[in-house]
Amino acid sequence: GQVASYMPYCQGRVEKLWGKEAGFPHDAETFYPERWLDEDFKPNAFYYPVFQAGLRTCMGKDMALMEAKTATAMLVASFDIKPVPGHPSNPDIQNSVTCPMAGGLHCVMTPR
């Protein structure tokens, strides 16, 4: 009779995995992409559950990650990207299936 929920959004903010308790310099809520750049850090699929893990891994995972990296590299190489003054540079994440940013991330893109 008990309700149980699975929330990947919350799992990605577990202090024992991603915060100071895990040896990172920031708490799990802080946007700190450098935490994944350490050569000794080798997370498994269960640390990043967006695409699930184990026998139920998303079939499109590798393609989605490749597309995200390619699109990011093309944008960064082609444009100077700067936040719009007066708009929050760290907007709140809305709780939903896709976790969009509340109000978006306003920026100005000028061709290089």
Side-chain angles (χ1 to χ4, degrees):
Q2 187 66 35
V3 175
S5 297
Y6 170 65
M7 300 175 143
Y9 176 84
C10 295
Q11 186 174 345
R13 282 147 185 84
V14 173
E15 198 66 31
K16 287 183 179 181
L17 295 176
W18 303 113
K20 292 182 180 179
E21 289 183 42
F24 294 111
H26 301 286
D27 64 18
E29 288 286 330
T30 302
F31 179 68
Y32 175 67
E34 291 83 5
R35 74 180 86 217
W36 295 285
L37 298 179
D38 184 359
E39 291 181 20
D40 296 330
F41 181 67
K42 303 286 187 226
N44 63 40
F46 295 96
Y47 272 46
Y48 186 67
V50 174
F51 294 106
Q52 308 309 325
L55 298 174
R56 304 287 186 251
T57 300
C58 174
M59 292 187 332
K61 171 186 168 185
D62 293 333
M63 187 176 96
L65 292 172
M66 180 189 65
E67 287 177 340
K69 292 174 189 177
T70 302
T72 301
M74 291 174 68
L75 287 171
V76 170
S78 301
F79 295 94
D80 284 322
I81 304 169
K82 297 191 170 132
V84 172
H87 286 275
S89 61
N90 191 9
D92 292 328
I93 303 296
Q94 296 174 331
N95 291 327
S96 74
V97 174
T98 58
C99 296
M101 291 185 225
L105 181 61
H106 296 263
C107 60
V108 176
M109 298 173 67
T110 53
R112 289 185 183 255

